[in-house]
C-alpha cells in the first residue's frame, strides 16, 4: 500500500498579513530605485549633451541625487504619517463604538460575515469566538483591514525611499566617470539594464508576467532619455 507523500511545496502559500506588508515595502523600494535611476540618467544625459566637462556633469548628477532622495524621503514621510494618523483615528473610533454599543457592533460583525457568504448561524458563531478573544482586532480586520499591531512607520518608509532612490541614481553617475566618447552610450546602456532589472523584479513580486512591465519601463525610459538628451543638445548649441 502506498503512503501519500507530503503536499507539494508550491501548494503551501503564506497568508500572514506581514508577508503582504513586506512585499509592499519591497515593491516600493524597487520603484524608488527605478525613479532614482531614470531621473538621474535623464539629468546627466541632458548635461552631458551640452558639455563634456566631467566635474560639471558629476555636480549636476549629485545635486539631482540629493534633491531626489530628499524629495522622496519627505514625500513618503508625509504620506505615511497621514495614513498612520488616519489608522489611529479609525482605531480610536472603533474602540469607542465597542464601548458604547457592543451589541450593535456584534450584529455588525455578524452582518459582515454573512455578506461574505457565511450562513447566519456560522457567522454568529465566528463573531462570538472572535469577540471572546479580541473584539477590537476582529472589527478592525473585518471592517477596515487594519492590524493595530503593525501600523505603517513613516520614519522607516522615509529612510527606505531615500536609500532606494540613491542606489538607483548611483548607476548613471558611475557611467559619468567613463571617457567622454563612451559616456553617453554607457549611461544609456546601464540605465536600460537597470530598467530591465527593475521591471523584472517588480513584476515577479506581483507574480505577473515580467515582459509587459519590462517593455513599458524600457520604452518609457528610452523616450525620456532621448528627450532630455535632445534638450541638452539644443541648449548647449544655443548657449555656445
Amino acid at each position: 500500500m502506498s503512503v501519500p507523500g507530503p503536499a507539494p511545496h508550491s501548494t503551501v502559500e503564506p497568508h500572514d498579513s506581514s508577508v503582504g506588508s513586506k512585499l509592499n515595502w519591497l515593491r516600493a523600494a524597487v520603484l524608488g530605485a527605478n525613479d532614482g535611476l531614470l531621473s538621474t540618467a535623464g539629468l546627466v544625459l541632458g548635461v552631458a549633451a551640452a558639455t563634456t566637462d566631467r566635474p560639471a556633469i558629476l555636480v549636476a548628477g549629485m545635486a539631482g541625487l540629493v534633491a531626489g532622495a530628499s524629495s522622496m524621503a519627505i514625500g513618503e514621510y508625509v504620506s505615511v504619517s497621514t495614513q498612520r494618523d488616519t489608522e489611529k483615528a479609525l482605531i480610536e473610533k472603533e474602540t469607542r463604538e465597542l464601548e458604547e454599543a457592543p451589541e450593535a457592533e456584534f450584529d455588525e460583525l455578524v452582518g459582515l460575515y454573512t455578506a461574505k457568504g457565511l450562513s447566519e448561524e456560522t457567522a454568529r458563531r465566528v463573531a462570538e469566538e472572535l469577540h471572546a478573544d479580541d473584539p477590537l482586532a476582529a472589527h478592525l480586520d473585518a471592517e477596515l483591514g487594519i492590524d493595530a499591531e503593525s501600523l505603517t512607520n513613516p520614519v522607516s518608509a522615509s529612510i527606505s525611499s531615500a536609500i532606494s532612490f540613491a542606489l538607483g541614481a548611483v548607476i548613471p553617475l558611475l557611467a559619468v566617470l567613463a571617457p567622454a566618447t563612451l559616456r553617453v552610450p554607457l549611461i544609456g546602456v546601464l540605465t536600460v539594464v537597470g530598467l530591465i532589472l527593475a521591471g523584472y523584479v517588480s513584476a515577479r513580486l506581483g507574480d505577473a508576467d515580467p515582459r509587459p512591465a519590462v517593455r513599458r519601463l524600457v520604452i518609457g525610459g528610452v523616450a525620456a532619455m532621448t528627450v532630455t538628451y535632445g534638450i541638452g543638445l539644443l541648449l548647449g548649441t544655443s548657449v555656445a
Side-chain angles (χ1 to χ4, degrees), residues 187-206:
I187 293 172
V189 170
L190 290 180
T191 301
V192 169
V193 172
L195 291 173
I196 291 173
L197 181 61
Y200 179 83
V201 172
S202 62
R204 297 308 301 163
L205 287 175

Side-chain angles (χ1 to χ4, degrees), residues 25-226:
W25 281 112
L26 188 53
R27 186 178 293 110
V30 171
L31 293 176
N34 173 71
D35 193 11
L37 170 68
L38 188 53
S39 61
T40 306
L43 176 62
V44 295
L45 274 176
V47 178
T51 179
T52 57
D53 184 14
R54 180 182 294 163
I57 301 172
L58 281 174
V59 168
M62 286 301 300
L65 184 156
V66 174
S70 300
S71 176
M72 289 283 290
I74 294 170
E76 194 72 11
Y77 183 84
V78 171
S79 174
V80 175
S81 293
T82 301
Q83 178 183 342
R84 188 182 178 90
D85 291 342
T86 301
E87 290 171 339
K88 285 184 175 180
L90 290 171
I91 292 172
E92 291 175 1
K93 177 176 179 290
E94 198 62 40
T95 302
R96 187 170 58 253
E97 290 176 348
L98 282 168
E99 292 174 350
E100 296 174 352
E103 293 182 0
E105 287 297 298
F106 176 83
D107 291 337
E108 182 181 16
L109 189 60
V110 173
L112 288 170
Y113 285 118
T114 55
K116 292 181 179 180
L118 297 181
S119 67
E120 177 77 22
E121 179 182 356
T122 302
R124 186 166 294 276
R125 186 164 62 251
V126 170
E128 288 173 351
E129 293 183 6
L130 292 174
H131 260 243
D133 179 39
D134 189 341
L136 178 60
H139 282 270
L140 291 177
D141 178 59
E143 295 181 39
L144 306 170
I146 294 176
D147 182 356
E149 300 300 322
S150 59
L151 297 181
T152 51
N153 189 325
V155 175
S156 62
S158 175
I159 294 173
S160 174
S161 296
I163 291 175
S164 62
F165 184 96
L167 289 176
V170 165
I171 296 176
L173 281 179
L174 290 176
V176 175
L177 301 177
T181 54
L182 299 176
R183 191 172 296 150
V184 170
L186 189 58
I187 293 172
V189 170
L190 290 180
T191 301
V192 169
V193 172
L195 291 173
I196 291 173
L197 181 61
Y200 179 83
V201 172
S202 62
R204 297 308 301 163
L205 287 175
D207 199 25
D209 183 358
R211 289 172 293 183
V214 170
R215 186 163 53 247
R216 286 191 296 266
L217 277 178
V218 171
I219 292 175
V222 170
M225 288 189 291
T226 301

